[in-house]
Amino acid sequence: MCHLSPVPVPRADLPAPQVSEWRDPHPSRMQMPQGNPLLLSYTLQELLARDTVQVELIPEKKGLFLKHVEYEVSSQRFRSSVYRRYNDFVVFHEMLLQKFPYRMVPALPPKRVLGADREFIEARRRALRRFINLVARHPPFSEDVALRLFLSFSGPDVQNKLKESAQCVGDEFMSCKLAPRAKDFLPADIQTQFAVSRELIRNIYNSFHKLRDRAERIASRAIDNAADLLIFGKELSALGSDTTPLPSWATLHSSTWGSLKQALKGLSVEFALLADKAAQQGKQEENDVVEKLNLFLDLLQSYKDLCERHEKGVLHKHQRALHKYSLMKRQMMSATVQSREPDSVEQLESRIVEQENAIQTMELRGYFSLYCLHQEMQLVHVYLPLTSHILGAFVNSQIQGHKEMSKVWNDLKPKLNCLFAGPSGSPTPPRLPQDGVSPR
C-alpha cells in the first residue's frame, strides 16, 4: 500500500460499490512509483474530505443478564449505515495492527467497566468516532478492504468477515513492492531525524494536552454557569410567588412588596433564556474545541505508540536475531575445531544461512519501519493546521456567546426599573451600604 498520490473522494452521484464486488482500487500498487515516494502531498482539506463518519448511540438492549451498547456507524463516503458493537471495533483495530504495524493506528477507548454511567458511555462514543474518522482519513487505511467491510458490511457477523479478509494476507511490508528498497529513499541522517521528530511530537503533545484540559474547564464552567443562572431565576420566581400574608405591623406604611413580588416572579423567563445561551456556548465549545483537540491528541498519541512499537518491536527483534546469529557462529567455530560429524556441521551451516536470511529481512523491515515513520510524521504535520480551526472555533464561540447573552442582559435591565421605583415612580437605584456601615 505504498501509493502516495491523493485519492479522490467518490462523487455523490456515483453508486456505492458493494463489498462483494471490491477490487484493489490501485492495480498499479505493485509497480515502482515515480519520483520520491517518501514525500507526501496531501493537504488537511484533502484528508478531511476523504470521509466523515458519524457514531451514534443506539438505546441499550436489555437481556436477562446483560445490557449491550450498540452504535450506528454512518459513512458519507460509502453512503452506508451499519450497526456495530464495541467488540467489533476491537477486532477491526486488531486487523489494522496486524496489517499495518508500521503505521499510526489510533488507540481504542477502554472497555466498559462495571457500573459504567452515561458520562462514560458518551465519552467512549466520542472516542470511537474520533478513532474511526482518523482511520477513514488515513491514506493507506482508507483504501484497505478491512475499512470498507467495517463501514459498509451489514451481514450478521462482521467480526468473522474481517478475520477472513486478513487470512493469507501479509502485512504492509509483504505487499509493498517498495519495501525492499525503502533504504534507498531514506535520508542519510534518518536516525537523527527520527530522534528529533519524536522529541518534537512529545513537546507538541504536552502543550496540546494542557490546552485540552483548559478548554474542558472553560466549557464546563459555561455549563455550570447555565445551571446557576437557571436556579437563580427559579429562586426569584419562587420568591415572587410566595403567598404568605404580610403581618399587619409590616404594612403600617405603604408597602411595595406586592409590586416587587410581581416583578420578581416574571424574571425567571429571562434567566432561563440566559441559562440556555450559556449552555449552548458550553456545548458548542465541547464539540468544536475540546473534541478537535482530543482528535489531534489521539493522532499524536498514535505516533508516540508507533515510535514505541518501532523500538520495542523491530529493533528489539533485530537485536535478538543478531544475538542468536552470534551464538550460532560460535557453535559453528567450536564444531569445526572439534571436528564433529559432517552431518551435524552441515545442519548448523544450514541454520546459520537461515538466520542470515532472517537478519536480512529484519534489516529490511527496520528500514521500511523508518520509511513509514518518516511518512507518518509528515501526516502529523498535515494535521497541524487544525490548530487554526480550533482557535477559530473557540474565538467565534466566545464572541457569539457573549453577544447573545449581552443582548438578553440588556433586554432584562428595563424590566428591573419597577424594583427601584421611588415615591414618585421614577427609577432610583438604591445606594448600597459602604464599608459595612448602614446609611442613616
Side-chain angles (χ1 to χ4, degrees):
M1 295 287 181
C2 288
H3 45 280
L4 300 174
S5 58
V7 180
V9 179
R11 289 166 44 196
D13 57 340
L14 295 179
Q18 301 299 314
V19 173
S20 59
E21 300 173 349
W22 184 85
R23 296 291 185 272
D24 190 336
H26 292 270
S28 62
R29 69 186 179 94
M30 298 303 289
Q31 300 174 5
M32 293 305 298
Q34 301 295 321
N36 187 352
L38 187 64
L39 303 178
L40 297 179
S41 58
Y42 300 102
T43 65
L44 178 60
Q45 288 71 25
E46 288 171 337
L47 290 182
L48 297 179
R50 282 175 173 264
D51 200 357
T52 297
V53 185
Q54 298 297 334
V55 178
E56 301 297 338
L57 190 67
I58 298 175
E60 296 184 5
K61 295 181 179 179
K62 299 182 180 181
L64 293 176
F65 303 103
L66 299 174
K67 295 191 296 182
H68 300 302
V69 178
E70 271 195 315
Y71 305 93
E72 182 178 7
V73 182
S74 305
S75 164
Q76 284 187 3
R77 175 186 176 190
F78 298 113
R79 285 177 290 169
S80 59
S81 182
V82 293
Y83 298 109
R84 297 286 181 257
R85 289 173 54 183
Y86 177 79
N87 287 339
D88 299 331
F89 281 90
V90 171
V91 172
F92 177 55
H93 184 261
E94 292 172 353
M95 295 300 101
L96 288 176
L97 283 174
Q98 178 180 321
K99 286 186 172 184
F100 301 98
Y102 310 123
R103 299 289 183 179
M104 295 187 298
V105 179
L108 284 177
K111 291 185 178 180
R112 185 174 187 175
V113 295
L114 187 63
D117 55 16
R118 290 182 179 273
E119 185 177 350
F120 171 84
I121 293 174
E122 171 61 15
R124 190 172 69 173
R125 181 195 69 82
R126 288 174 176 263
L128 290 174
R129 183 178 63 185
R130 296 195 302 269
F131 162 80
I132 194 62
N133 275 286
L134 284 174
V135 170
R137 293 162 180 170
H138 189 284
F141 302 165
S142 65
E143 299 308 317
D144 190 73
V145 65
L147 177 71
R148 184 181 293 267
L149 282 169
F150 186 81
L151 291 179
S152 60
F153 179 72
S154 57
D157 194 351
V158 69
Q159 294 184 25
N160 282 336
K161 197 72 175 177
L162 287 168
K163 293 174 182 177
E164 289 173 4
S165 71
Q167 289 179 355
C168 303
V169 177
D171 62 14
E172 187 183 10
F173 175 80
M174 301 294 293
S175 63
C176 181
K177 186 70 173 179
L178 182 65
R181 291 186 53 198
K183 180 181 179 181
D184 299 338
F185 301 98
L186 293 174
D189 61 342
I190 183 61
Q191 294 291 354
T192 302
Q193 289 193 25
F194 169 61
V196 172
S197 297
R198 191 173 187 182
E199 181 66 20
L200 174 64
I201 294 301
R202 184 184 294 113
N203 294 338
I204 293 176
Y205 178 88
N206 291 338
S207 294
F208 270 84
H209 196 280
K210 293 175 183 177
L211 288 172
R212 191 278 313 275
D213 288 349
R214 294 300 156 179
E216 279 185 336
R217 287 165 61 92
I218 292 171
S220 179
R221 281 200 297 270
I223 294 173
D224 290 344
N225 186 36
D228 291 339
L229 286 168
L230 188 62
I231 293 174
F232 194 93
K234 287 182 178 179
E235 289 303 320
L236 288 177
S237 179
L239 188 62
S241 303
D242 190 340
T243 57
T244 305
L246 288 175
S248 58
W249 56 264
T251 57
L252 292 176
H253 300 287
S254 176
S255 175
T256 59
W257 182 236
S259 59
L260 286 175
K261 287 205 311 180
Q262 190 64 31
L264 292 173
K265 184 177 180 181
L267 294 180
S268 63
V269 175
E270 280 74 17
F271 277 91
L273 185 57
L274 286 167
D276 183 60
K277 298 297 183 184
Q280 286 180 16
Q281 181 177 348
K283 290 296 182 183
Q284 183 177 351
E285 288 172 359
E286 280 185 346
N287 295 327
D288 295 344
V289 180
V290 176
E291 268 304 285
K292 286 186 174 67
L293 285 168
N294 278 326
L295 179 78
F296 192 52
L297 281 172
D298 290 349
L299 180 74
L300 296 174
Q301 183 62 53
S302 67
Y303 183 84
K304 293 172 64 180
D305 294 342
L306 177 59
C307 292
E308 289 189 11
R309 286 204 303 275
H310 173 75
E311 290 191 336
K312 296 181 179 179
V314 177
L315 298 185
H316 183 63
K317 289 179 181 178
H318 190 201
Q319 291 299 321
R320 284 192 302 173
L322 286 174
H323 179 67
K324 183 178 179 181
Y325 177 72
S326 177
L327 292 176
M328 293 172 66
K329 289 289 286 185
R330 285 200 293 268
Q331 290 177 3
M332 181 65 181
M333 292 174 63
S334 175
T336 303
V337 171
Q338 297 176 11
S339 301
R340 290 186 179 178
E341 293 293 329
D343 289 346
S344 63
V345 174
E346 186 176 338
Q347 290 176 359
L348 192 54
E349 288 178 341
S350 177
R351 288 173 54 199
I352 289 176
V353 171
E354 290 178 1
Q355 190 65 13
E356 287 174 344
N357 292 334
I359 290 173
Q360 184 180 16
T361 301
M362 288 290 178
E363 289 178 347
L364 293 175
R365 281 187 173 271
Y367 286 121
F368 184 67
S369 179
L370 286 170
Y371 170 91
C372 293
L373 272 165
H374 199 290
Q375 286 192 329
E376 298 301 275
M377 182 61 178
Q378 293 178 64
L379 202 59
V380 170
H381 279 270
V382 173
Y383 269 96
L384 274 175
L386 194 64
T387 308
S388 61
H389 293 230
I390 295 169
L391 287 174
F394 179 62
V395 171
N396 289 336
S397 173
Q398 290 290 319
I399 292 173
Q400 186 67 22
H402 284 86
K403 181 180 179 181
E404 292 182 358
M405 291 192 70
S406 176
K407 183 179 184 305
V408 179
W409 284 117
N410 284 323
D411 291 343
L412 173 62
K413 188 175 181 180
K415 298 181 181 181
L416 302 180
N417 287 339
C418 61
L419 297 177
F420 309 135
S424 61
S426 58
T428 55
R431 296 177 62 186
L432 297 179
Q434 300 295 323
D435 300 324
V437 180
S438 300
R440 295 179 180 179

